Structures are given as structure tokens and as C-alpha cells.
């Protein structure tokens, strides 16, 4: 089983800003933890990050037949990335939306997700553990 | 460690309606799976269900010092249960919001959650696995 | 054939307030008229009233397999009783919504019914006759 | 006692479209059932249909002193027929609004009725039986 | 100089409803007063009334080159008669909008006029005197 | 009979700006035309202008028992002068609202008048003639 | 193959107003061009215009079994003609919506079309060529 | 004279949360202060608290003829308790709405009170003194 | 202790309009009652009224270091007096907002107070007693 | 004559998803059909697709002086691509907007096009024929 | 060259409130810095402050022909001063809007400026330097 | 001191469109003027332009530790570039928003800036001088 983890705009800056909220782990640290967790469960975890919406779309089309499941943290594209939305709808993989913070609990515009309606589910507010739980979900789902 | 799972209005009907979506497991089945999963991880899982908002509030005040963490599926109270919201805010336990279905993907009124701003996080759309992941989250959190 | 008539919050006060609009008949009078009308048509009419949303839900689950049809005047729950709505949707009985007054013709908030989308139909503004017509409807429907 | 039944735009097409919902009865069938039902209760039922808002208004002014009560299904004029609304308000007959389908349960624009505030009541979602119940209402009302 | 006075839906019922507001003068009385007032100022006043939007439009196209100025009370078409609006915009006569009552002071929907943006001006709330003032305006305008 | 004409903020600049629309007549010219017109009809016309909302209110309280009728062009206070509105409502004189231009035909915010609901009527879009017609209205009204 | 072209309110005035935008061709010219274009492709093109919504509806019911396809320019009915909408939905012909101008590019109210959701497609902003293209579309469609 | 003080959902938690805002006095302390203050003014003060909307309604119907005046802090029901609203409207006692904090100064949803339109007045933001002032008000009112 | 009572626009007309609601006491009567009540509690009560927003602001800056507390009834400035709001925020005295009537219970625009968010509390709907209670509040507050 | 056809995000996936709606033709098939149709009419058709908004903008600036006309299907950029909008406005070529499906007939957000106000026209809902008609339009336009 | 700097309501309190944000400089300090900066560039800077909207308007009409350019910080009038807006539009001087703080970054109501559409430009969030830059702008503009 | 000037989508087209508004200077001209102005004040000015949101984000992360201050004209990204917003918030440089035109004075959608809340200030409507003033601001700020 292969799982792709996609991080959207500004997640490259993880661990370098608002450290009181997110801690000092960088994106690389987070990705490595996911890869390790996957490996210890016999799953190959692939990782990708881009700040350009269209590049993420290009990558998703390229990988859609290679991976089984996709975990995506769309960053701010959550709120206006209608092209990304159409892409998630077009590829027919199960896509699980993850957010580090509780996005309903911040600025007004963050309450609207254009991605959720085409995702199979959402995990938000649970920090980096949210990614581990997402991997876990696909393991549980696969077992059924 | 003790975790309380609270299910709100109409979750007593689980397994008896819309079986194509939710399967044939009843609320009791779901609760037993959570209790077993907790037990196998050395955690006591307590369960509660009520169709009356104020009864849930009464129960939360009674249990708040007895349990460590709370998992809540507020049912339709998600959308208008401001009293429940104030209660979750008043008790200072971590409360994790869980929904069986992807509520952003249904009727318009289901897109607004008055509970999320006072919850520590949200898991939605992942079916009964969402409850297991929620227990899992508190285990991961406790380990840190 | 058994028909259950459910009256929601504040309908217990019927005949005691705004007598110029509703007349001096109490809820008991109204219920008795419905029972008599039913009896004279060979139908058993059951009646129930509660001011607590969750109690109405509990009662509906208890009665859903015992009665054939349900007539409900949700009182002010019409406008915010999303839990009651989900309950009506879950039990699979035909539920007919009745209002004594023409609710579209009063305060702004009374124009929105969260119950109507899950009811089979609505009768409003016809006073106590609305309940008789509702019973009548189920007789006509049954005859077909 | 004379009752006028007015059907608005597109009700001439009844029985010719969406037969799975409305059945195969035509407008003429419906009107005849109402006339028969009236006759068997000693009431003269008159019928009228037009697709032109202003023609309905002209007809209502012509008939207002001839009939006792009016039953109207305004079709789509329900949502924008402000001229019809002013006419119903001007003639001082009791006018009862009837809809075949549960209009609150369809497209967003169908949730607003500009007619209801000037009608004495509303029956919706009960199919052709709605017309029979409306006649019934005026009989009950007349008896008091 | 020729002035056309057009009255829209329901103004045929003038003097027959809400007499405490509008008095007992009928539409014919109002029209005769306008014709007399015009005659005594050397102006020919023509009058027209219809309850059908499209008939008013047809009439305006027929008369646009025959009359100099137009006074219109669109009745409820004021609030949704976009076809009438386009017609007033297409014929290039000065069209003055008149309302008997102060329409900003009644139901919410009466606050929006789709006609005003294409009219040269508006007189409202001044009763039948509003029509006389409108004729007066065109006399003053003509004198300049 | 005494009529007071009140002009609100920026009407002091009449004839000095947007001359293509309003012509070159100054406020003084307009006031003099009204005074002359009044005089020739045996009416005393008083005039007042201020750019300060509260000063207009003070003046209205001072004059309310001295004059019979009031004509007011509130300028931009039309859209937010709730204090002026309460004043017009408190003094019990008939107050007629006049606007030089067709205010429904300009910026969005100009479509809302907070004054109209407490005025006896409105004349807009008819330029300086609007003031003459307003005086005329009170003459006609007085004759009845 | 027979195609019916229906033009709604005010299109009778084509070529007589706003000539800088629409040119000097009249409705008759436009209709003749369509008829010729059809004839040269072996298609019978029928034409109809009315300023009365209900008359258009009556005509559509009369013609629906006689013609294969319908091209409609609803004029201002585009924005509020819910009765026309229901009619287009009821007759089961393919109906193609055409507008001479780019209606999304004008007043705010013109951005909403109540017709589009029941039309098979829309061509706007392409002037009289839009009608020719619409005929062309049905030819292409028929060839498949 | 008897005054009933009703506290709604979550006021049982007073003094146990947000102590920096509300101090350390519990609900019991507050109630005792009100009872003492009443006693020293010759008034019997009764107290009640519930987290269940319908229970408060039941209690109000039971007490309405026993007490002269009612002071209510509806807690979060302020914002959605339409059933409570109808109850306050139905019992004909003067009901005074009290809030500890300045509710217009917090989250957006707290700005709307569905209770205020049926209350005789409101005191908010004055902490526990608000209750004493409310008792005071009924004393002043009674003296007149 | 010195308390300043500020009355905004139109409160000078108290006792002269809507006497059925407010009684026949004038502003001077009300002010004298407040001064007497203050005197009998050893407090100096100062009073001020103006119809000009900016004058009230000027006066508040002048008095802010002279008085301990401020009671303000902003009249219609409640709904749009953002400058007054900034002034209340700038002076750091406790300012208590008072309204004679229940402003949430009147026209829609009166439901929004731009002053409340910067006031320490609000008393509304309690008539002239509201001022006495406000003085009372500052006495209670001072005693603590 | 040269015409450029630009396809936006996700149109690369054509023929691979939702085949029941769009058929099995790929983007390449569609582009080849357009090129052939152009060639048979003596027109050079150029094609371009990108999933990145800014790349499309770069390409449009590069090509604007090389091609005569542009046909664009902006995909989901239709709803939020304000940068693309400004680009279309800046280059002064005629740009015709094309959509395969009837976008007004899908999710709410698809009803708003930010592109239409700067396009010369729009064709939607006509499938791949829409592109052919668009080419046809520029031929007709060129002939005039 | 003469530049007038106008400060609106509450700017007289500068340096006396929220000193952590604005520093301890008073309005007089700010004005003196502007005068000095102007003097050293050969420009006469005039200053004015008022808390009364209408007084500012009076002053602007008085000075409009005396000064070349105007810099205005309208304080809270920014959000509702439609009379000031009309005045700025009427005088034909270039008026530059300045705000000390980033007003889009505070309460919701501060995001709307009714002044900006009639100003030549806006500088906000740059503290007192914003005034110096504004003077600078007019120098640069004058040099061209 | 190093200042980076970033220009967003379509600013590459400067001087080539709408020359009556922006003049004939190209982006290169503007950038050179800024570089010269910086040089003459001992400041190194760097310039960057891209039409791709994500590329701008990439560039900002690359340069954030190299430059002291940033001036950005986000072009149309101002209205929907939430990813850019998060980036500006993440890098901790002072970022000053500049617009050539007065964006509050154009289409409705241009009134909302998603960038302003995370910028330190905004200069708009002052043409190319806005950039010079922005550089000036950082010089003034640095001097303090």
C-alpha cells in the first residue's frame, strides 16, 4: 500500500514560524515521522510540497494511479482552490483532508473549505498527530 | 486514563436507518468496539447517549473531574447547541468533535458547527473509525 | 389504523392565551375532538405533548412501530429543532406538519421551517380544523 | 355555497409531465373530482386555469362577489406574483393556498411564497388530496 | 401637449378597498380629475389601465410616438416588472413614476423599485394629488 | 399658511458644482423662487440650510409650532440621519421629502432613505421644480 | 427538422433603440436571416414574439410536439420568469437560451438567470450571430 | 410581593470557571444575596436553575400565577431558545432579562437575543449587581 | 462621587411626544429626579443634553477628569454614532448605556448598537427608572 | 486568421472522468477536431492547456499579438481567477468564454463567473460543439 | 503652495490614549511636525480639527479656494460621514485620505470607507509618517 | 538597507494598456525609478515580478532574510491570494501594500483586500509615486 502526503502553500515554513503553536519540528521532520510510521506498518509513504496550486494538480494527475490513498493539507488553498477541488474530484482516489490547527476557530474566511465536499473526510486541530491518524485511517480501512 | 464518549440526539438510532451509509452496527456495537479498543490499550472508555441537550450538559458537569478526555458526536446539536458549546467551554477537559459523515458535504445548515470553536479538534467523514482514531489521538497526546 | 398527534412546546397553554385568536378551547379539548373524529372513522388517535425537544424525540422512537401515521405541530421547534428534524427523517413514518396560525404571516424567524423538508406535507393557518384535515388526509391516503 | 378553484401557470400540463410524481390524472380529472366532491356535499365548485398572471387577476375581480371562497394554486407565481398578491388582498374573500408538492423541499427559490401572507392558510405536499381537504376546510368553517 | 397616464395591476379596484386610506373615489373618478385638470391647462390627458404587464408594454410601444409625456403607477409591477422597465428604457419618452401611498413605509419588498432607475423622477405618498402634481411637472418642464 | 423649507448638508454649494446637472442657480436663487411662488399664492415660505445634523434638529424643534408644513431635502443625511428621522417623527408636522436628483439611480448607498418612513411623501428627480410641486401639494391639501 | 425561435418582451423594439449596440436590423430582419439560414440547411425555422409571459407559455405548449428544438431569448423574463422556467422544464424539448448582449456585464439583476438551470445551454454576448450559432448547434447535434 | 429568579444553562457552573471575570461566588452565593436583598425589602425571592430549556418552560407555567415578577438569565438560550420566548410571551408576567457580561461585546452570535423582544427590559454587563438592580426595578415599579 | 448624565438627540422632546409611552415628565423632570436621588445618596449628579454628536464628544472630553462615572442615553446615535463610540473608548471612565424603551423590540435598525461594545453595561426598556438604577449601579460598584 | 484555444485547469483530464457526461474523447481529440475544423475553413487553430493560472497569463501575453482571436475555457478559474480576468482585460483581443457543461446548473459557486464581464461573449452547456461554434462565431464576425 | 490638514473626531485626544500604539505625541505635536516639514519645503501647511462633521464641511467650503491640496484623516466619519463625502466630491481639490492605523485590520465596521471613493488616494497604517508622506506626495505631484 | 519591490500578476503589462490612466512608463521604467531613488538615498532596491502566486511565495521565502523591508503590489491577488497572505504573515518582514489606482473606487470585488490585514500599511491611488513614498516610509522608519 502506498500513501501520498501532499502539503500545500506555506507548509514549507513549518517549524520556522509561530513555534509556540506548532513546535520546532520542520516539514522535513514531519514528513520523516510519517514515512517511519508508514514503514513500521508496512506502508510506503510518499511526500510532496508545493506553493503553486497548478503544480500540485499536475503532481496529483501524475501520481493518481501509483498511490492508493492521498492525504492532503491544502494550506490556504482550502479556502479558494477550486481548481484543486476539481482535480481531487477527477482523480478517483480517496483523499483525506488534514489541518494542523482548528481552522474553524480562526479568521472568518478560514471557516469555508472548498475541498471538504470532495474529500472522503477531514481531521483538523490535532497538530502533527493528525497526519499519523490519517495514515492510521487508511490502514483500518484497508483491513476491513 | 479514562475517556468519555458522548453521543447526541438520534445516534441511538444507529444501525436502524440509512444502513447503506452507516452499515448495520448499532450504537451498542459501536460503543463496545470503542470499549474493547480502549481496554486493549489500557484505557477505560465510558459511554453515554442522550437526545436531550440539557441532560448531556448535566452529565458533562458530573463527569468532568472523573474522566481525562472527552469525545463527542453532538448530532444535530452541532448546528444550534449553544448551551452545549458553553458547557464544553466551561469544563476544561480536551473535547474532540467526531462526526460519522462528512457534514460539510450535506445540507447547507450542516456546514456550520457551533461546537468546533470550543473543541480541540475535529474528525469527520471517517465513519466508526473516526471514534477509534479519536481514542488513538488521546493515547498519542498522552505519550508526549 | 393508528395516528399519533404530537404537540410541541407551549401548546399546553392553548386556550389560556391569545383567546381572541385561538378561542377558549384547551389542548385537552382539541385532543378530544381529534380522538372523537378518529373514533367516528374507525381510527385510534393517540395524543402527546411535551415542552422538551429530546423527550419528543424519545417518544417518537418509542411509538414509531406502533402507529401508522404521525401529525406534528412542533411549536417553536419548527424554527430550530434540527434534532427533531433528524428524528423525523430517521423514523420512516409519514409525518404531516400542522400549524394553527399562518406562520409565514408573523415574525421573520417564523418563516423558516427546518421540519418541512422532512415532512410529507404541511397544513397551516386553518386553526384546529387543520388537525381534523390532517387526520382526513391519512384516511384518504389509506383508501387509495 | 360556491367555491372557486384557480390554477395558475403550467397546471394545464398536469398528468403530462413528471408522471411518477403526480400520476396520470390531468387537470380536467382533478377539476372533475373537485366538482364531484363538492356536488356530493351540496356545494357548487367552479374551476379556472390560466398561464397569464393578469388574466387570473381579472377573473378574480369578476368572480369575487359571485363565489364564497377561493382555493388557489398559484404555480410559480407563488414566488414572484406580487400583483396577484395585491389582488388577493384587495378582494376580501377567504383564499386558501394549495400546492401539490412540498415546495419547501425543492429549489431554494420555491421556499419563498409572496402569496401566503395574504392567504388565510396553506396546504402543501398532499397531492390532489390537498384540493379535497381545502374544500373540506370551507365546509367545516361554514358549519361553525 | 399630450400626456398618457398608465395605471398598473389592481388600480382598477381603487375606491373599493381600504377606503380609509384611499377614499371612495374610483379609478374612473381619478382619471376624470386628471383629464379635467389637463383640459383646463390646454393639455390632452389620455388614460389606460391593465392588470397584464405585457399588455401595458404593448400599449406603451403603440403610444410612444403619439404622446409627449407618460405618468405611470406600476402597482406591484414596481417591484418585479423588469420587462416593463426595459420597455420604459426603450421608448424614449420622459416617464414619471407615481405611487398613491408612501411605498417605503410598508412591507419590506415594497422598498425596492425596479422602475425608478429608468424613470425621470418619482412622486410617492401624496395620494391622488400625486397625479395632478405629475401633470403639473410636465407643464412646468414644458414652459422652460 | 407658513411653509418651512429645510436644506441639509452641501445644498449650500448648489449652482457651484455639477452645473451640467443642476444648472447655475444657487441655493439663494432656489429659495427666492420658492418664496416668490409662495407669495403669489398667499403663503409665507421660510427657508433654512445647515450642514450640521443637530442644528437642523434644533431648528425644527424651534419652528415646529410656528409653521404649518415642512419641506425637507436632507442631502446625504437621507441615508444615515437617524437622529433627524426621530426628530421628524417627534414634531408632528407633515414633512415632505424632496430630492433634486433621482437618488435611486445613483450609488448603491443612496437607495436607502431612513427619512422616508417618517415623511408624508417623497418627490425625487424633478430638479428645482420638485420644491415648487411640494409647495403646491400643501396648497392642494389645504384646499380639501 | 423544425426549430422554433421565441423572442420575449421588448425584442419587438429591436433596431429601434440603442442602435450603436444592436445595429439597425429589426426583429423581422433577424427572423428572416434565421429563416434563410435554416432553409439553406434544409431546416424549417418558425418564429414567435410576445411581450406577455403567459402567452409565450401558451404558445410553447401548443408547439412542443410540432417542433424539434427551441431557441429562446427570454428578454427580461430571464431574471424573474419562474412560470416560463417551469414551462420549459415541463415540455421536454431541448431549449437553448440566447442573449444578444453579454448580460453578466450589465446591471446586477441581469446576472441571475432563472431560465439557465432548465435550458440545455446558453449563448450570450454574440449579437445576432448567437441565433445563427444556436441553429448551427442543433444541426451539429442532429448529425451525431 | 414574590419575585422568581430563573437561571438557564451553565449558570450552575458560576464561580468555577473564568474566575477572573465573574469572581469566585457560586450560583448559590448569588442566589443567597438576591434572597437576602429581597428579604430586607420585604420581598420573597424564589430561585431556580436548569440546563434543559423545556424544564424551564414547564417551571414557568407552574409558577406564573404564584409569583408577581420574573427575572431571567437565559444563558445561551438567549440566542436560540424560541420555545422559551414563546413561553415568556404566553405567561403574562413582566419578565426582565439579565446578563452578567456585556453580551454585545463578545462573539457575533451573542449579539442576537431572541428573548429581548418579549421581555419588558434588559440589564447586561453589570455582573451580579444586575440581579440586585432587577429586583430594585420591580420594587420601584410596584411603588408607583 | 460625581456622575454625569448625558442625553443625546431628541431627548429634549421628552414628555412632549408619545405621552402614552413615556408619560408627561419632561427631560427637566427626569434630570431633577436623578439629581435628587443622587443628592439623597451623597452623590453629585450633573446633567447635559445636546442634539449634535460632536458637541457631546467635546463635552465628554471636557468633563472626563471631573466626573467619576458617566450614564449615557445616546438616542438615535446608538445606531450610527461611531465618533461617539471612539470618544467613549478614548476617555477611560466607566460609561453605562441607558435606553428608555426596549430598543430590540422596535424597527430593525434599532437592534444594532455601535455604543454597547465600548460601554461597561446596558439597561434598556425600564423607562425613567433605568436612570435611577444606573446611578444605583455606580453606588453599588463604589461600595465594593 | 489565427485562433488560439486555451483550456484551463483539469481539462487535461477530459475523456478520463465522468465519461457518461463528456464522452470518451480526450483533450487531444477535442483539440484535433478544432484544428481540422479550422483548417477546412482556412483558419489556423493553435491550442494550449495549463493547470497553472499564471502560466496561462504568461502565455496569453506572449501570443496576444500573434493570434487574432482567443477562445478560453477557464475551468474552475472561472470562479476565482481575478488575475486571469485582468489579463484578458489587458490584452485587447476578443476573448470568447466556453464551458462544456451548463455551469449555472451545478454547485452554487459555479454560478459566478469573474471572467464573463471581460469576455466578448459566452457559450456554455453545448459540450465539445461549443468550441466549434466559437470558431464559427469568429468566422462569421470576420466576414462582416 | 498651501496644504490643509484636517483631522476629524477624536484626533484631539491623540497622545492621551492608547499610548503604546500611537506614542505620546499630541495632535499639536503632529501638526507642528507637519508645519515644519512643509516650511522646510517651502510649503505653507494649515491645520484644523473638529469633532463635528458639519463644522468640517463648513470649513472645507471656506478654505477650498485658498488651499491647493487637502489631507484628511476623517476619524470615525470614515465609516458613515456621507455628508463629508459629498462635500469632498463638491469641492474640487485633490483630497488625500490618511489613517494612523491599518483600519482594515480592526473591527469589521472599520473596513468600509465611504470617503475613499471620492479621495484621490489613501495612506493607512503608517502612523504619523503617513501625514509626512502625504505632504510629500503633493510635492512630487506638483513637480511633475 | 535593502528593500525588495514585488509586483504581482499583470503588472508586467504596465505602460502597454490603459495609457490614459497609467501613462506610458513600463514596469522596467518604474523599477528603474525606484532603484535610482533608492541609490540616491543609499539604499539598495531589488525588484521582482511574477504572474504566478506560488512563485512569488517561493521568492519571498528565499529573500526574507536578505532584505530588510518589502513593498508589494499584489495586483489581482489582493482579492483572493490567501496563500500569499499566509506567506506575508509567516515571513516576519514589514510588508507595505501599494496600489497604483484607488482600488476602493472600482469594481465591487476590488474593495476587499485579503492582504491588508497582514501588511504594516497601505498606499493606494497615488500612481507610481506610491512606490517612491513607500521607499520613503522605510527610510523615515529606519531613522527613528
Amino acid at each position: 500500500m502506498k500513501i501520498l502526503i501532499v502539503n500545500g502553500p506555506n507548509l514549507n515554513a513549518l517549524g520556522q514560524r509561530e513555534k509556540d503553536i506548532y513546535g520546532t519540528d520542520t516539514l522535513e521532520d514531519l514528513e520523516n515521522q510519517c514515512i517511519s510510521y508508514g514503514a513500521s506498518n508496512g506502508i510506503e509513504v510518499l511526500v510532496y510540497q508545493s506553493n503553486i496550486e497548478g503544480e500540485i494538480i499536475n503532481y496529483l494527475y501524475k501520481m493518481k494511479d501509483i498511490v492508493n490513498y492521498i492525504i492532503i493539507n491544502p494550506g490556504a488553498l482550502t479556502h479558494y482552490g477550486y481548481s484543486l477541488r476539481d482535480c481531487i474530484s477527477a482523480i478517483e482516489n480517496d483523499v483525506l483532508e488534514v489541518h494542523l490547527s482548528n481552522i474553524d476557530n480562526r479568521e472568518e474566511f478560514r471557516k469555508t473549505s472548498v475541498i471538504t465536499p470532495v474529500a472522503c473526510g477531514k481531521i483538523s486541530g490535532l497538530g502533527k498527530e493528525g497526519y499519523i491518524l490519517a495514515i492510521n485511517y487508511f490502514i483500518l480501512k484497508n483491513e476491513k
Side-chain angles (χ1 to χ4, degrees), chain A:
Chain A
M1 189 166 73
K2 285 184 184 166
I3 295 176
L4 170 63
I5 297 180
V6 175
N7 281 292
N10 296 301
L11 285 153
N12 56 306
L14 204 65
Q16 296 168 37
R17 57 163 174 156
E18 299 171 286
K19 296 182 189 176
D20 48 330
I21 302 177
Y22 299 113
T24 54
D25 283 3
T26 62
L27 177 61
E28 200 182 347
D29 297 334
L30 167 61
E31 291 175 340
N32 285 338
Q33 289 163 26
C34 290
I35 290 167
S36 299
Y37 183 81
S40 69
N41 284 279
I43 293 163
E44 188 179 350
V45 171
L46 293 88
V47 297
Y48 179 76
Q49 193 275 336
S50 172
N51 290 326
I52 300 176
E53 185 182 13
E55 274 187 8
I56 298 174
I57 294 170
N58 286 341
Y59 193 77
L60 287 173
Y61 281 118
K62 184 174 143 201
M63 300 301 286
K64 77 185 165 67
D65 296 329
I66 296 170
V67 300
N68 301 77
Y69 300 116
I70 296 170
I71 294 165
I72 192 163
N73 180 341
L77 291 173
T78 304
H79 315 302
Y80 70 110
Y82 289 108
S83 300
L84 179 56
R85 171 199 175 111
D86 279 359
C87 172
I88 290 174
S89 176
I91 63 176
E92 283 162 14
N93 311 59
D94 279 335
V95 177
L96 182 40
E97 184 186 354
V98 173
H99 297 279
L100 291 162
S101 66
N102 185 339
I103 56 172
D104 283 312
N105 205 356
R106 298 171 61 190
E107 297 96 334
E108 198 60 28
F109 73 87
R110 293 201 205 271
K111 289 193 180 151
T112 304
S113 168
V114 305
I115 301 301
T116 308
V118 295
C120 66
K122 175 157 67 173
I123 295 175
S124 67
L126 304 182
K128 284 172 290 186
E129 279 70 26
Y131 288 80
I132 301 299
L133 295 176
I135 296 171
N136 222 335
Y137 170 69
F138 287 123
I139 297 173
L140 289 172
K141 184 184 160 83
N142 216 41
E143 283 168 357
K144 290 209 294 193

